[in-house]
Amino acid sequence: MKFIKKDRLSVVIPILNEHKNILPLTLSLIKNLQKFDYEIIFVDDNSVDNSKQILKLLKVKYKFFKPIIRKKIRDLSQSCFDGIEKASHENILIMDGDLQHDPKYINKMFYIYKKDKCDIVIGARNLLSGSNPGLSETRRIASVILIFLFSIFTIKTLDPMSGFFIFHKNLYKKNKRMFFGKGFKILIDLIINSKKNIKTKDVLINFKRRYESKSKMNFKILFILIHFYFLSCIKKLIN
């Protein structure tokens, strides 16, 4: 019998108060990651619900389950960075923990990532279509405005605000001193602040409706993203 070596994948999932979603998401990942040698790294940003207890129970049950409990200042980007640092595999998948990102897309995303030798493959929402049941109209319009602002950097993706993407850990390690590293989204940080031109490809996804948690996007986060935009513009002019 011929042994087939599996691709390795570390799944990093930043969460805050997602205790109702952790188990359903874990079971869905197990179902969809059978072709991989994988690990699941939930990064809890000091939740005040039962998330920590659930993570500890699942850690005992599954060897591939490697949660991180943060006790630092809450920050989604830093949660992602902590998960990437802990990841033992070179291929990294970032996704949300609220069930809006469907694991069924992972195999297609990874196939394109390997076949086309991409730096990043993005699970992209078609924000211009308005057909995203999981996205409020306010969030959609805010995302479209941000995409328009960031178009100055000739970013080749429909959804630079996506929180669902695959990349190689070396992309992070070689550029981590350049990253803004604050706020809500790290994809745009990876693309803009990496030292080389990044080859990206999109896989269009249906963004599912959120049932058991609240969106973390608010005016504070929007302000941080706009602040990042202007810093990036200044950096581009200097260079």
Side-chain angles (χ1 to χ4, degrees):
M1 183 176 179
K2 187 177 179 180
F3 175 76
I4 300 175
K5 186 177 179 180
K6 293 184 176 181
D7 289 306
R8 296 179 177 180
L9 184 67
S10 293
V11 182
V12 175
I13 309 167
I15 59 169
L16 175 64
N17 300 328
E18 299 282 3
H19 71 281
K20 293 183 179 180
N21 296 325
I22 294 170
L23 180 58
L25 178 54
T26 298
L27 295 177
S28 182
L29 284 167
I30 292 171
K31 177 182 176 181
N32 285 279
L33 294 178
Q34 295 180 17
K35 295 180 180 180
F36 295 92
D37 177 4
Y38 65 93
E39 61 184 1
I40 299 174
I41 305 172
F42 279 91
V43 187
D44 182 85
D45 210 2
N46 202 12
S47 295
V48 295
D49 61 4
N50 293 322
S51 293
K52 297 173 188 175
Q53 292 84 342
I54 294 170
L55 292 174
K56 289 174 182 177
L57 289 171
L58 290 173
K59 182 180 179 181
V60 173
K61 184 173 182 179
Y62 297 116
K63 291 182 179 179
F64 57 76
F65 201 86
K66 302 175 182 179
I68 298 172
I69 309 296
R70 298 184 80 245
K71 295 183 179 180
K72 305 172 187 177
I73 296 174
R74 286 176 177 165
D75 186 278
L76 187 141
S77 288
Q78 291 302 317
S79 293
C80 290
F81 292 164
D82 286 352
I84 296 166
E85 290 282 355
K86 182 173 180 175
S88 58
H89 300 325
E90 294 303 308
N91 302 308
I92 310 289
L93 169 73
I94 303 287
M95 68 184 300
D96 290 348
D98 55 15
L99 300 180
Q100 291 193 283
H101 294 149
D102 195 328
K104 73 179 183 180
Y105 294 105
I106 295 173
N107 283 284
K108 182 176 181 180
M109 290 167 65
F110 195 87
Y111 173 77
I112 292 172
Y113 168 73
K114 294 282 284 188
K115 179 178 74 72
D116 295 341
K117 298 180 180 179
C118 297
D119 294 298
I120 307 176
V121 170
I122 301 155
R125 305 160 295 179
N126 190 348
L127 297 165
L128 298 178
S129 73
S131 60
N132 289 279
L135 200 64
S136 70
E137 189 62 12
T138 302
R139 278 188 69 194
R140 188 185 75 83
I141 292 171
S143 296
V144 169
I145 291 170
L146 287 165
I147 290 170
F148 174 76
L149 289 174
F150 281 111
S151 64
I152 188 175
F153 298 98
T154 61
I155 294 169
K156 296 178 181 178
T157 174
L158 288 171
D159 191 5
M161 299 297 127
S162 175
F164 190 24
F165 56 96
I166 294 173
F167 64 102
H168 198 280
K169 190 173 182 178
N170 278 339
L171 182 65
Y172 165 80
K173 291 194 295 187
K174 290 179 180 179
N175 299 287
K176 63 181 180 179
R177 292 184 181 180
M178 305 290 292
F179 297 144
F180 181 63
K182 294 180 182 179
F184 193 64
K185 298 294 183 183
I186 72 163
L187 174 61
I188 194 73
D189 208 351
L190 287 172
I191 295 173
I192 290 177
N193 288 321
S194 293
K195 295 177 183 177
K196 68 168 187 173
N197 291 328
I198 300 299
K199 181 180 180 181
T200 65
K201 284 210 170 180
D202 289 341
V203 171
L204 287 178
I205 65 168
N206 290 321
F207 195 56
K208 298 172 70 176
R209 182 175 284 107
R210 179 186 284 105
Y211 292 101
E212 298 292 354
S213 61
K214 295 180 180 179
S215 171
K216 290 138 186 99
M217 174 65 88
N218 54 39
F219 286 110
K220 180 181 177 182
I221 297 300
L222 188 59
F223 173 79
I224 290 172
L225 285 167
I226 292 172
H227 179 214
F228 168 56
Y229 166 76
F230 284 109
L231 287 178
S232 300
C233 288
I234 292 169
K235 185 176 176 182
K236 185 178 179 68
L237 289 171
I238 292 172
N239 295 333

